[in-house]
Amino acid sequence: MNHRRALRAAVTVAVTGALAAAMTMTLTSTASAGTTLRASAAEKGRYFGAAVATGKLSTSVYATILNREFNSVVAENEMKWDATEPQQGRFSYTGGDRLVSHAQANGMSVRGHALLWHQQQPGWAQGMSGSALRNAAINHVTQVATHFRGKIHSWDVVNEAFADGGSGGRRDSNLQRTGNDWIEAAFRAARAADPGAKLCYNDYNTDGINAKSTGIYNMVRDFRSRGVPIDCVGFQSHLGTSLAGDYQANLQRFADLGVDVQITELDVMTGGNQANIYGAVTRACMNVSRCTGITVWGVRDCDSWRGSDNALLFDCNGNKKAAYTNVLNALNAGPAIPTDPPTDPPTDPPTDPPTDPPTVGCSASVSLNSWTGGFVATVKVTAGSAGTSGWNVGFTLPSGASVTNTWSATASGSTGTVRFTNVNYNGRLGAGQVTEFGFQGTGSASGVMPTCTAS
Ligand code: G2I
């Protein structure tokens, strides 16, 4: 670290008060001494998370460890498709909401897992195909991301869509058979529904530079070049008895595409190497400035889906294992995320047509994400120079097109001329102020033009 950078780092640390007082004047050291995973990760600008089964929150050993050690949570199962939409169009958020409340009460952020996956689909979706499945899947993304809007740090928008083995290609699944663009359609719908969440692609067996991780790398590079909204890649890291020598290099090559990387489901087979591998994974993340957090897939060994692998950081009695100590030490020894973030171009090059200059009344513009048989429309409403106390946007849809659901507005009609009226929180706009609403439909909306009326 050169002197100016060291000085800047020390000043930042002093200002944020993140480092123990005794260390604040040490210009050349980044060492610190957090005593919990969450404190040590936070000192380095990162989170340390655990997968949670909400049924266990009432077990005191479990909850004590969770609240003391972790500042991020992810639902092990409760935000998956089968849990959140057990019947088509009937949504159930009990487990997910409970986890979000627990997180909010305990200063934790929430990873959302997972909007679309070929596993843990509800039975009704397993039996669907073609545009019916595509529409149902995009509706699922829209509804769930809208429900949790503003509460999710990062969403696993698509989970495990790449094949194992040497092909580097997509995995066959009912979702894949709806068309290769299903992943980008999901990311666009997620962005429209929750613009504040980071949107991740998540997968396993991506722990080094291999055919599968390279297939994903090529997809992310393509998405970035075409403005498909993707912000992060999750590396599950369900590990055995050794770690790929190029684990860190693999994280870094993704980071170099301008996305964050996260370790999302870490667990490691027990055995002589377990503690070393945990330490090495943590060091790799710390050494990649865009590696923003680590999540372990459970709290105690007996909470793990891996059963007798004893794959986690705490034993079944809640005692810290050697692996815990190695992780804590690696967090404490690692560098902080630089305070001057890399100056990458914004994730989404603006795709909306330029908004009209403010006029009396209001104006509206639409951006469409279309696929064969369906679309998501994101509509931007701009108040004119007098502001609005309410607004109404009309579209005349081509024949065959039909609105199936709407967010942040109320629709009247679903075919032909459809009018969208503000909801109670977004009708009142100051001069030039902008709000957004959206709708999803079947058929094609290509070429539609909005007309805006203010009241
Ligand atoms: O398989 C390990 C993980 C791989 N990556 C994606 C993760 O979402 C996945 O998590 C696991 C959960 O840890 C398990 O708890 O996903 C499994 C399902 O594929 C989860 O198992 C399921 C059981 O198969 C069901 O029988 C059970 O009803 O958990 C359900 C809820 O307890």
Side-chain angles (χ1 to χ4, degrees):
M1 180 185 292
N2 67 33
H3 182 70
R4 276 181 53 194
R5 194 175 169 101
L7 185 60
R8 189 168 60 228
V11 168
T12 306
V13 161
V15 167
T16 58
L19 199 57
M23 304 295 294
T24 51
M25 294 315 293
T26 308
L27 296 182
T28 52
S29 172
T30 54
S32 59
T35 56
T36 63
L37 302 173
R38 66 181 281 168
S40 297
E43 282 184 2
K44 303 303 164 66
R46 295 174 165 92
Y47 66 81
F48 204 94
V52 169
T54 55
K56 293 179 181 166
L57 291 173
S58 51
T59 304
S60 80
V61 177
Y62 182 91
T64 301
I65 300 172
L66 181 71
N67 298 346
R68 185 187 69 218
E69 299 288 344
F70 298 94
N71 60 357
S72 167
V73 285
V74 59
E76 187 173 358
N77 288 296
E78 286 147 298
M79 290 194 195
K80 293 173 180 174
W81 197 353
D82 59 350
T84 50
E85 196 180 0
Q87 294 169 275
Q88 187 169 15
R90 299 240 176 129
F91 292 85
S92 168
Y93 297 116
T94 320
D97 285 347
R98 190 162 168 219
L99 186 63
V100 169
S101 306
H102 185 89
Q104 289 175 342
N106 290 281
M108 301 162 168
S109 59
V110 181
R111 292 196 84 262
H113 175 81
L115 292 169
L116 293 180
W117 186 22
H118 65 281
Q119 282 187 29
Q120 280 179 287
Q121 293 183 0
W124 61 265
Q126 290 176 30
M128 288 175 87
S129 62
S131 63
L133 175 62
R134 172 66 71 91
N135 290 332
I138 297 300
N139 184 49
H140 179 76
V141 170
T142 298
Q143 297 293 335
V144 176
T146 299
H147 175 82
F148 291 109
R149 180 183 179 124
K151 298 172 179 166
I152 303 294
H153 175 286
S154 299
W155 261 117
D156 290 334
V157 177
V158 169
N159 191 42
E160 301 178 8
F162 276 72
D164 291 313
S167 76
R170 299 283 182 86
R171 168 195 300 281
D172 179 51
S173 72
N174 59 346
L175 290 165
Q176 182 62 28
R177 289 190 292 270
T178 70
N180 205 51
D181 63 342
W182 72 278
I183 297 183
E184 61 194 85
F187 274 84
R188 292 189 203 275
R191 178 70 98 228
D194 186 356
K198 289 194 181 282
L199 304 182
C200 304
Y201 176 81
N202 190 49
D203 216 326
Y204 66 92
N205 279 352
T206 52
D207 311 307
I209 298 176
N210 57 38
K212 185 172 179 179
S213 64
T214 298
I216 296 164
Y217 176 88
N218 290 336
M219 177 187 76
V220 174
R221 189 175 54 187
D222 169 55
F223 280 12
R224 300 282 303 168
S225 75
R226 289 190 294 114
V228 177
I230 184 166
D231 308 305
C232 38
V233 176
F235 297 81
Q236 294 185 9
S237 308
H238 295 293
L239 300 173
T241 53
S242 64
L243 182 66
D246 53 3
Y247 186 86
Q248 181 180 321
N250 189 44
L251 300 181
Q252 187 65 56
R253 73 170 171 156
F254 280 85
D256 291 343
L257 292 174
V259 289
D260 288 345
V261 295
Q262 302 172 353
I263 312 305
T264 50
E265 304 184 13
L266 180 61
D267 50 23
V268 183
M269 187 173 287
T270 196
N273 263 337
Q274 185 184 54
N276 292 338
I277 292 173
Y278 264 109
V281 168
T282 309
R283 277 193 299 280
C285 177
M286 300 305 283
N287 288 336
V288 174
S289 63
R290 291 198 81 129
C291 183
T292 57
I294 299 176
T295 299
V296 288
W297 203 245
V299 176
R300 300 161 302 177
D301 283 340
C302 37
D303 300 316
S304 170
W305 71 293
R306 294 180 63 161
S308 57
D309 277 357
N310 291 327
L312 293 172
L313 299 177
F314 295 86
D315 71 20
C316 293
N317 295 319
N319 298 309
K320 296 169 182 173
K321 295 165 59 181
Y324 171 95
T325 307
N326 280 6
V327 170
L328 186 68
N329 289 343
L331 292 172
N332 283 333
I337 290 180
T339 47
D340 37 355
T343 52
D344 290 308
T347 314
D348 308 323
T351 49
D352 293 326
T355 319
D356 297 329
T359 49
V360 176
C362 56
S363 60
S365 62
V366 61
S367 92
L368 283 176
N369 168 30
S370 303
W371 59 90
T372 311
F375 62 90
V376 167
T378 304
V379 186
K380 193 180 269 190
V381 177
T382 306
S385 50
T388 64
S389 53
W391 45 260
N392 186 289
V393 175
F395 285 90
T396 300
L397 297 176
S399 76
S402 174
V403 174
T404 53
N405 92 77
T406 303
W407 52 98
S408 306
T410 305
S412 74
S414 59
T415 56
T417 299
V418 183
R419 300 209 67 87
F420 298 88
T421 308
N422 64 274
V423 286
N424 59 5
Y425 61 83
N426 64 7
R428 188 167 296 279
L429 301 175
Q433 207 182 337
V434 175
T435 191
E436 274 188 4
F437 71 94
F439 58 98
Q440 185 185 351
T442 53
S444 165
S446 115
V448 287
M449 299 282 292
T451 54
C452 192
T453 313
S455 54

